[in-house]
Amino acid sequence: MSKAFFILVLHAHMPYVLDIRFENTLEERWLYEAVVDCYLRLIQTFDRLMTDGIPFGLTISISPVLLAQLENPLFIRRFIKYLNLQIDLTEKEILRTIRIPELAPLAKMYNGYYRDALRTFEERCNYDIIQTFRSFQDMGALEIITCAATHAYLPLLRPALSGIRTQVTVAKKEYKRIFGRTLSGLWLPECGYFPGLDTLLLQAGIKYTFLDTHTIQSSEPIPEYAAYAPIISPSGMVAFGRDVHTAKEVWSSMDGYPGDSDYRDFYRDIGFDLDLDYVGAYLPGEVRSYTGLKYYRIKKNRGQNRIYVPEIAERKVSIHTDDFLAHRLKQVRDLSLSMGFPPVICALYDAELFGHWWFEGPSWLEMLFRKIFECGEYFTPVKPSDYLKQKPMLQRSQPQGGSWGWKGYNEVWINEKNSWVYPHLFKAAEKMEALAVKSGWNVMEERALNQAGKELLLAQSSDWTFILHNETLSEYATKRIKEHLGRFWKLIHQIETCSIKEDWLCEVETQDNIFPSFNYKDFL
Amino acid sequence: MPDDDKAHFPHKYNENYLYLLEVDPTHIHAFWEITPDCIPDQILKRCLSNKKLWLKIYCNFRDSHRFCVDLNVHGLINDWFIEIESPLTGCHAELGYKDPGEEKFVSLCRSNNLDVILEKESSDCSIEKINQSDVNSHVYEEKKKDINPFIIDTEKEKKTHHMELITEKDIKDYYRLLSEKRIFHPGYSPWKLILKRINSAESLRVLKPSGFEKFYEQHYSSSETNSSYSSYWSVTFSYSQIPKIDKDK
């Protein structure tokens, strides 16, 4: 039986939520929670694996807009403040639960959790999460890639191709600036692909990407081995296909591991359970929302929430890693019979699933890599670039299009709730392109053009149309789109009427302080 | 920062435009804006109310069959989700009105071209295997001096690159790109545009860039866009020498 290749990709992304005008907003909390629950815990996991000499060969995609926030001094200051606030809350909880024996150990656990996060951030990372991830890459432990600049959903930017090219160009430039090497692979936001995108990516020097299962399977000619062997498009782009089984085992809300009733319930939080007088000071705007302190397990059917017991959850993690590996072994055996060469099993996940939505996720990952190392005669974790260095023979096939979103195509990002956004994005891109092609701008005008370009990039983020579709924070998403495009057109008006207000330009540059490598000519 | 940033968000652009986007293999989305002054007064009131605007969708099917669908749309609703037949491979659309009496379609704006995803698995089972490093000159690498997006290989002296520019906007944009990047200079025209009208008996036309603008004006009047597939052009762009041009100038 051939040894299979196992490519595990975690895609980390947060929309741009830092706002210099307001502190401790609900949206900024998303970022802090992702850092504590996911990114710092991944760093701790990688450290432990490396200390024990266990290779993990994992790939991480970190979006440029997330990178921009993590390196922003505003984030560093506010994140430390957030952690101290959380530590303060947990100490209050320790006192409150001192006579509640089933909750007291959990309160202490959370106290240790946030103290550990602060220590990792300050001492291990030296306040620089990005450089910590970079060090793992420099040691060869993992491969870091990135995605479109502001996570724009590229198939729906087709009428304004300059928008797509700029998203990719900025991604490439920011990656080079931050990681000091050339980007070879690109994560497509939502795995959104259309025929012709491969050519655009190759023009930017991107060699490979990842596509959803059905996108690979509908390629022309039909791929001989479905998603278990990467294909190469006629233009030369390599596409790795997502394995549907690893997706279902981890992602499925019904049957996936994270929904197990011994795992921590994300939704049952003291921010909703306890008196607002008690917990309000720790909530953004003193309005009920998640604090991160959760004491209960996921509800089983219609039963009551049971108290969370970390030891029970850890045992379940072990069971689930064994289950995952058993499925992979069966897969490898079945595939080896028909393929005649090592299959490639590609597991793609959002990074935030591990730790934030699925609290036990980082433990599951660590245990998985330990078990693969112990009994990994059937498959080996590999990074996509290392796989391609072996110069495998790939079937030439043209993917047709699709995404990993609901229903497999574009409907999440274009429907009756969000279709109004796109003409505005196209008109702005056309304007940007028209101005970028001109020359003779003075220094101030170039500054304004650069900032206008950044506002357009921020408006193109797929997060806003996604939120509008889900109707979770529709007002917020609408506000963000209109603010960014409003600033865009205000800047354009000032440029065209030679009336740039430098004070206001400075404010906007400080507020939307992203992508130092971006230049308005990237829209050409 | 002033709250009026949002106030600069435009609700209209006072231009005629039509955008098509794909939702999934069986639905497309059309969004447009038309300015009242592009429609004669006597028709305007009717157009903007009682379903007197027409959206013509020109569909391409997998077997090269082409078909035009006429949709009568309400003038005040400019945001449509349209169910289409599969296996459509691509489409574009025009929005306009019908001249009263003559019933001739008057086009107001034309959309982008849209490739549509095939829903069904391909019936092509051929297998060709290749190594990524062996992919030929169709692999695009970043060209620092590339100011012409259609150059494939700067090493070769003579190369012909066939492009299908099938809307007037494509050709106009392409011509603008050539002139604005000063790919040709007065007295120096290494470039030729060879245009062939698809589905027509018209033979090949060979044009130097200096003659293109006149040709464009002559052939891309609004009446031209009324015809269906005779407005499809195949453009072959050939050059004998790649001029060195400073991109920053």
Side-chain angles (χ1 to χ4, degrees):
Chain A
M1 182 169 69
S2 322
K3 199 169 180 177
F5 293 107
F6 180 56
I7 295 178
L8 179 65
V9 185
L10 302 181
H11 170 57
H13 166 65
M14 271 285 144
Y16 190 71
V17 290
L18 284 179
D19 194 329
I20 198 168
R21 298 168 296 178
F22 311 111
E23 206 166 331
N24 199 26
T25 61
L26 177 66
E27 296 79 35
E28 244 175 59
R29 282 288 183 104
W30 301 339
L31 176 61
Y32 306 149
E33 286 167 9
V35 173
V36 171
D37 295 338
C38 175
Y39 313 143
L40 288 178
R41 288 177 72 192
L42 284 176
I43 288 169
Q44 292 163 353
T45 299
F46 298 154
D47 274 340
R48 286 191 292 270
L49 289 170
M50 288 203 70
T51 300
D52 294 345
I54 295 170
F56 39 97
L58 186 137
T59 305
I60 288 192
S61 158
I62 312 177
S63 70
V65 67
L66 173 57
L67 290 168
Q69 293 178 95
L70 293 176
E71 64 175 2
N72 192 322
L74 182 67
F75 158 75
I76 295 169
R77 272 200 316 276
R78 288 186 177 177
F79 181 60
I80 294 173
K81 205 169 165 181
Y82 163 79
L83 284 176
N84 284 315
L85 199 67
Q86 291 295 97
I87 292 168
D88 194 53
L89 174 61
T90 58
E91 280 166 1
K92 211 166 152 178
E93 276 294 279
I94 288 172
L95 291 173
R96 182 182 77 85
T97 61
I98 205 163
R99 288 194 177 82
I100 311 174
E102 62 269 26
L103 297 186
L106 291 172
K108 285 180 187 163
M109 180 196 82
Y110 282 118
N111 183 262
Y113 180 76
Y114 286 103
R115 285 186 183 280
D116 215 21
L118 183 60
R119 194 166 35 246
T120 303
F121 185 64
E122 286 182 332
E123 295 172 17
R124 172 64 180 94
C125 300
N126 197 24
Y127 309 98
D128 193 341
I129 291 172
I130 299 171
Q131 290 308 311
T132 311
F133 277 115
R134 177 178 172 165
S135 66
F136 287 120
Q137 176 164 252
D138 292 343
M139 286 188 277
L142 54 76
E143 180 167 353
I144 302 177
I145 60 174
T146 190
C147 75
T150 55
H151 206 265
Y153 186 68
L154 302 181
L156 293 178
L157 293 187
R158 267 186 282 182
L161 278 182
S162 61
I164 297 177
R165 283 198 294 267
T166 312
Q167 287 274 338
V168 175
T169 301
V170 171
K172 218 183 125 190
K173 286 166 77 172
E174 283 294 293
Y175 183 89
K176 179 82 184 217
R177 178 181 69 81
I178 290 171
F179 295 106
R181 56 174 78 184
T182 304
L183 182 65
S184 56
L186 191 82
W187 176 275
L188 298 176
E190 315 296 346
C191 292
Y193 173 83
F194 63 91
L197 181 55
D198 51 318
T199 306
L200 291 171
L201 295 181
L202 280 162
Q203 282 177 329
I206 308 296
K207 301 280 193 297
Y208 70 83
T209 188
F210 304 94
L211 300 179
D212 199 28
T213 321
H214 71 284
T215 311
I216 293 282
Q217 286 176 330
S218 64
S219 300
E220 192 168 14
I222 194 165
E224 190 181 7
Y225 299 113
Y228 296 106
I231 57 172
I232 184 166
S233 71
S235 62
M237 167 66 61
V238 174
F240 292 91
R242 183 188 187 196
D243 169 48
V244 67
H245 302 288
T246 55
K248 194 177 170 202
E249 286 152 24
V250 176
W251 268 126
S252 168
S253 56
M254 300 293 288
D255 307 315
Y257 305 135
D260 189 279
S261 56
D262 281 330
Y263 288 144
R264 195 189 74 165
D265 186 349
F266 176 87
Y267 297 101
R268 185 76 194 268
D269 187 290
I270 66 165
F272 298 98
D273 286 349
L274 301 183
D275 282 343
L276 202 52
D277 289 340
Y278 174 84
V279 77
Y282 303 94
L283 298 172
E286 299 202 13
V287 173
R288 288 200 180 277
S289 62
Y290 299 105
T291 62
L293 273 61
K294 305 163 201 284
Y295 292 134
Y296 296 92
R297 287 185 251 183
I298 292 170
K299 252 193 228 183
K300 202 168 184 175
N301 299 322
R302 291 179 188 178
Q304 295 288 322
N305 278 118
R306 296 169 296 156
I307 298 291
Y308 180 66
V309 181
E311 294 75 21
I312 294 175
E314 195 68 8
R315 285 200 289 273
K316 198 50 75 82
V317 164
S318 182
I319 291 170
H320 285 151
T321 44
D322 288 340
D323 183 72
F324 186 86
L325 287 171
H327 280 122
R328 299 295 74 72
L329 174 58
K330 182 175 183 314
Q331 239 183 337
V332 172
R333 280 184 178 147
D334 293 344
L335 290 168
S336 294
L337 287 172
S338 56
M339 283 179 75
F341 62 91
V344 177
I345 299 171
C346 201
L348 312 180
Y349 308 111
D350 278 339
E352 291 77 23
L353 170 68
F354 295 90
H356 182 58
W357 300 106
W358 182 18
F359 185 67
E360 297 78 10
S363 299
W364 181 87
L365 271 179
E366 183 174 346
M367 209 176 287
L368 178 72
F369 283 110
R370 287 183 185 278
K371 288 183 179 177
I372 290 173
F373 181 69
E374 283 164 17
C375 55
E377 62 263 35
Y378 306 113
F379 53 86
T380 181
V382 72
K383 293 165 265 177
S385 292
D386 288 342
Y387 176 80
L388 293 176
K389 275 179 195 161
Q390 298 175 36
K391 296 185 187 287
M393 295 302 284
L394 306 170
Q395 181 181 355
R396 187 174 249 174
S397 184
Q398 176 63 58
Q400 291 304 302
S403 75
W404 78 356
W406 178 61
K407 290 189 179 178
Y409 297 104
N410 305 335
E411 191 171 338
V412 169
W413 300 277
I414 182 158
N415 52 64
E416 64 275 8
K417 297 171 203 166
N418 53 29
S419 59
W420 62 270
V421 177
Y422 292 97
H424 297 290
L425 298 181
F426 304 148
K427 281 293 160 199
E430 286 168 15
K431 186 57 148 178
M432 199 65 219
E433 205 180 327
L435 293 179
V437 91
K438 290 183 181 174
S439 54
W441 302 110
N442 63 37
V443 170
M444 187 70 70
E445 286 163 344
E446 287 201 337
R447 263 178 70 188
L449 277 171
N450 286 339
Q451 192 59 37
K454 291 177 188 180
E455 298 299 330
L456 174 53
L457 288 170
L458 286 167
Q460 289 173 338
S461 168
S462 65
D463 302 285
W464 316 135
T465 42
F466 184 83
I467 289 171
L468 288 171
H469 164 73
N470 283 343
E471 293 182 309
T472 44
L473 287 167
S474 300
E475 260 187 54
Y476 174 74
T478 303
K479 178 179 88 87
R480 289 296 302 269
I481 295 166
K482 289 188 173 180
E483 255 180 11
H484 290 303
L485 289 177
R487 284 177 203 148
F488 173 86
W489 288 108
K490 190 172 174 180
L491 284 162
I492 298 303
H493 175 75
Q494 289 184 1
I495 292 166
E496 291 183 326
T497 56
C498 303
S499 59
I500 296 172
K501 304 279 186 293
E502 191 175 0
D503 289 349
W504 179 74
L505 176 59
C506 287
E507 278 184 28
V508 178
E509 286 172 333
T510 308
Q511 163 60 27
D512 294 331
N513 177 20
I514 55 168
F515 308 151
S517 65
F518 169 75
N519 184 278
Y520 68 92
K521 288 185 181 165
D522 292 335
F523 268 89
L524 290 174
Chain B
M1 189 172 310
D3 285 336
D4 69 346
D5 286 353
K6 278 187 293 192
H8 289 262
F9 176 79
H11 295 279
K12 277 188 178 183
Y13 293 90
N14 297 314
E15 294 172 21
N16 293 350
Y17 61 81
L18 170 63
Y19 292 119
L20 293 187
L21 286 173
E22 185 187 20
V23 180
D24 59 38
T26 56
H27 294 86
I28 61 173
H29 175 255
F31 187 102
W32 64 81
E33 184 183 334
I34 52 170
T35 55
D37 57 11
C38 69
I39 305 176
D41 287 345
Q42 67 270 25
I43 300 168
L44 176 63
K45 204 173 169 180
R46 283 197 299 147
C47 279
L48 294 183
S49 58
N50 197 20
K51 293 178 83 170
K52 288 300 181 187
L53 274 180
W54 289 88
L55 184 68
K56 287 172 95 62
I57 305 174
Y58 303 99
C59 309
N60 301 325
F61 292 93
R62 194 164 174 73
D63 57 1
S64 301
H65 175 60
R66 288 172 169 149
F67 191 74
C68 180
V69 174
D70 284 1
L71 282 179
N72 200 194
V73 293
H74 197 292
L76 292 176
I77 302 171
N78 61 350
D79 190 343
W80 286 72
F81 288 87
I82 302 158
E83 192 168 352
I84 52 173
E85 270 185 56
S86 193
L88 198 63
T89 55
C91 61
H92 75 281
E94 288 184 288
L95 184 73
Y97 62 90
K98 288 194 177 170
D99 209 50
E102 288 184 34
E103 286 296 307
K104 182 186 172 189
F105 177 74
V106 178
S107 175
L108 297 172
C109 51
R110 186 168 181 159
S111 77
N112 52 297
N113 299 320
L114 186 66
D115 294 321
V116 176
I117 298 167
L118 289 175
E119 188 177 22
K120 295 175 185 169
E121 281 185 358
S122 171
S123 55
D124 183 353
C125 298
S126 61
I127 298 170
E128 179 197 353
K129 293 210 174 166
I130 194 164
N131 183 292
Q132 188 178 35
S133 57
D134 294 335
V135 178
N136 61 22
S137 61
H138 286 283
V139 173
Y140 292 101
E141 292 178 294
E142 185 187 20
K143 306 229 177 342
K144 290 179 186 170
K145 294 182 183 174
D146 180 14
I147 50 174
N148 184 327
F150 306 111
I151 291 178
I152 298 174
D153 188 342
T154 55
E155 303 295 318
K156 290 189 178 179
E157 282 197 359
K158 191 169 183 177
K159 192 163 185 77
T160 301
H161 184 66
H162 178 80
M163 288 290 296
E164 231 183 61
L165 302 176
I166 60 170
T167 69
E168 61 179 284
K169 186 180 181 301
D170 288 333
I171 295 184
K172 205 171 183 180
D173 285 348
Y174 184 51
Y175 178 70
R176 178 178 59 80
L177 185 74
L178 293 180
S179 57
E180 284 178 355
K181 294 195 174 179
R182 293 180 282 136
I183 289 175
F184 46 83
H185 309 276
Y188 173 66
S189 301
W191 312 97
K192 290 178 189 174
L193 289 169
I194 304 167
L195 295 112
K196 179 175 185 290
R197 200 191 279 261
I198 295 177
N199 291 341
S200 164
E202 187 166 336
S203 58
L204 283 171
R205 304 282 294 270
V206 178
L207 291 173
K208 291 185 179 174
S210 56
F212 182 76
E213 185 131 35
K214 191 176 171 185
F215 171 83
Y216 175 80
E217 278 171 14
Q218 183 185 351
H219 285 268
Y220 274 88
S221 61
S222 59
S223 61
E224 201 58 25
T225 60
N226 288 335
S227 57
S228 53
Y229 294 97
S230 59
S231 51
Y232 276 72
W233 293 87
S234 154
V235 177
T236 301
F237 182 65
S238 106
Y239 54 87
S240 56
Q241 185 183 346
I242 299 159
K244 288 181 183 176
I245 293 173
D246 186 343
K247 192 175 177 182
D248 292 326
K249 281 191 183 162

